[in-house]
């Protein structure tokens, strides 16, 4: 044959020998599988009241037909300038916190209301309530514990009672071994002692300023609590509780103005989205088997706390919450586990893999290139 024809034959021979393996390995290198899966779904029509219980619950207890909630608290303060409406003569006692230490006994020591505490220079401060100072403990041969922090008030009004406190003793124990063994020290500085004229704010101006501060501070705290809400949790408007305390600061902003300061605290009931979905499925579906589910539209449901005015989030253990709306439940599955299970599987065997994922009701795989007989070996 002519030389040109022989070279054509050798070209096709070499193409078959080298080209096909290269094409095969290239197809494996760039192979991919797209798998469209359809999980089980269900709809819950909600318009009912549920019992909710504060978490954690007692060991061994079960939620049953109840929802579980936690609380989250944020704090902040704000100020407003208000007009002084005049002056009045005031006589105020200083107050603050002290720490009482018991080195007398391992048993608690009772102190009655108005018990006196004295400084080295003779100033007297009194307990505002009856208390029991815990007994000390011996740890490695040394005394530990036996302390309690309480509020005291100066025996007399005046600025001289303001300031830090050290080395307090109880005059009533003079001559008793307790005198040197039950002592106290300042935890905070004594403050607000005053005798004299002070600028005042009219009740109308104070009320208006407090109203504005409450609105401003609550809005700020709501934003803060929503921004710092843990991943996977939700809260709702009627489950937020705001409380505040206001005081006129002693320093005068100008000759005619005073500063009104408000300390605010917001506590919110929060629910785990995962656990809430599971509990609602348990309560609402008769054939629910405990599988992992998620309510896809939780944020569209309406949550209302019943009797919010009677609910104290700091002490309450239970709540009644009405939930309304159509909840769309979607069964969950482990995507990573499915990828690993399909890696390298023959097209003839992949159906058996999907049977191991009962949350799926349909699966449609598409392999590229189309002539591939197996799923790519790389799970990603």
């Amino acid at each position: 044959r002519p030389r040109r024809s022989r070279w054509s034959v050798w070209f096709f021979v070499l193409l078959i020998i080298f080209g096909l393996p290269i094409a095969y390995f290239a197809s494996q290198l760039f192979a991919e599988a797209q798998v469209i899966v359809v999980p089980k779904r269900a709809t819950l029509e909600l318009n009912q009241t549920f019992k909710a219980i504060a978490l954690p619950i007692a060991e061994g207890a079960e939620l049953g037909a109840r929802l579980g909630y936690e609380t989250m608290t944020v704090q902040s303060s704000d100020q407003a300038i208000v007009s002084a409406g005049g002056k009045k003569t005031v006589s105020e006692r200083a107050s603050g916190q002290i720490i009482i230490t018991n080195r007398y006994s391992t048993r608690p020591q009772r102190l009655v209301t108005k018990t006196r505490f004295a400084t080295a220079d003779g100033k007297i401060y009194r307990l505002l309530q009856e208390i029991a100072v815990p007994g000390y403990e011996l740890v490695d041969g040394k005394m530990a514990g036996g302390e309690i922090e309480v509020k005291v008030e100066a025996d007399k009004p005046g600025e001289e009672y303001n300031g830090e406190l050290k080395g307090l003793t109880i005059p009533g124990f003079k001559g008793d071994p307790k005198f040197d063994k039950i002592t106290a020290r300042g935890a905070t500085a004594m403050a607000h002692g005053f005798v004299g004229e002070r600028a005042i704010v009219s009740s109308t101006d104070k009320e208006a300023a407090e109203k504005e501060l409450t609105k401003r501070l609550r809005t700020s705290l709501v934003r803060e609590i929503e921004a710092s809400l843990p991943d996977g949790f939700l809260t709702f408007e009627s489950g937020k509780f705001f409380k505040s305390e206001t005081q006129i600061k002693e320093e005068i902003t100008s000759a005619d103005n005073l500063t009104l300061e408000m300390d605010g605290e917001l506590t919110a009931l929060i629910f785990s989205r995962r656990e809430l979905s599971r509990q609602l499925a348990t309560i609402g579906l008769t054939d629910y088997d405990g599988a992992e589910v998620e309510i896809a539209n939780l944020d569209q449901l309406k949550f209302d706390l019943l009797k919010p005015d009677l609910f104290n989030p700091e002490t309450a253990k239970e709540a009644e919450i009405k939930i309304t709306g159509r909840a769309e439940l979607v069964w969950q599955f482990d995507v990573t586990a499915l990828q690993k299970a399909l890696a390298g599987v023959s097209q003839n065997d992949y159906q058996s893999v999907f049977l191991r994922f009962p949350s799926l009701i349909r699966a449609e795989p598409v392999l590229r290139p189309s002539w591939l007989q197996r799923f790519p070996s790389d799970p990603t």
Side-chain angles (χ1 to χ4, degrees), residues 95-102 109 111 117 126-135 145-153 164-165 168 182-190:
S95 63
Q97 300 288 121
I98 64 169
I99 298 173
I100 306 172
T101 303
N102 174 15
Q109 299 297 301
L111 298 179
F117 289 84
R126 293 182 181 267
L127 273 183
L128 299 180
Q129 62 184 28
E130 182 177 319
I131 62 165
V133 186
E147 292 187 338
I148 186 173
E149 183 173 325
V150 295
K151 186 176 181 179
V152 294
E153 186 179 76
E164 303 286 343
L165 296 182
L168 296 169
I182 302 179
T183 57
R185 66 186 186 276
T188 64
M190 297 294 113

Side-chain angles (χ1 to χ4, degrees), residues 59-236:
E59 187 176 351
E62 295 183 358
L63 282 174
R66 298 177 296 183
L67 309 177
Y69 72 87
E70 300 176 56
T71 59
M72 180 179 177
T73 300
V74 292
Q75 298 171 324
S76 187
S77 60
D78 201 351
Q79 296 179 344
I81 305 301
V82 289
S83 299
K87 292 187 176 183
K88 71 173 182 178
T89 302
V90 297
S91 179
E92 297 177 351
R93 301 170 192 262
S95 63
Q97 300 288 121
I98 64 169
I99 298 173
I100 306 172
T101 303
N102 174 15
R103 292 293 177 261
Y104 173 75
S105 173
T106 57
R107 301 179 63 181
Q109 299 297 301
R110 179 171 162 267
L111 298 179
V112 299
T113 306
K114 299 294 185 182
T115 294
R116 295 178 300 155
F117 289 84
T119 62
D121 59 358
K123 293 186 180 68
I124 300 295
Y125 299 83
R126 293 182 181 267
L127 273 183
L128 299 180
Q129 62 184 28
E130 182 177 319
I131 62 165
V133 186
Y136 68 81
E137 298 177 351
L138 286 176
V139 179
D140 297 330
K142 296 182 179 180
M143 294 182 184
E147 292 187 338
I148 186 173
E149 183 173 325
V150 295
K151 186 176 181 179
V152 294
E153 186 179 76
D155 193 43
K156 296 179 180 179
E159 293 183 69
E160 64 270 23
Y161 287 87
N162 294 334
E164 303 286 343
L165 296 182
K166 297 178 181 179
L168 296 169
T169 57
I170 301 177
F173 289 157
K174 192 73 172 178
D176 188 296
K178 293 181 181 180
F179 183 78
D180 295 319
K181 300 293 185 180
I182 302 179
T183 57
R185 66 186 186 276
T188 64
M190 297 294 113
H192 308 303
F194 183 79
V195 175
E197 282 194 336
R198 178 172 288 164
I200 59 172
V201 177
S202 70
S203 58
T204 302
D205 290 342
K206 184 179 179 183
E207 184 178 338
E210 285 179 333
K211 186 176 180 180
E212 176 61 28
L213 276 177
T214 297
K215 179 181 177 182
R216 205 160 69 200
L217 192 53
R218 190 184 189 282
T219 300
S220 172
L221 289 173
V222 166
R223 287 185 187 141
E224 182 180 344
I225 213 163
E226 290 177 350
S228 54
L229 199 64
D231 289 340
F233 279 77
L234 65 84
T235 185
F236 54 95

Side-chain angles (χ1 to χ4, degrees), residues 17-39:
I17 294 174
F18 296 104
L20 291 181
I22 291 174
Y24 172 78
F25 286 113
S27 68
Q28 293 298 312
L29 180 64
F30 297 104
E32 68 172 13
Q34 182 184 65
V35 184
I36 300 173
V37 295
V38 180

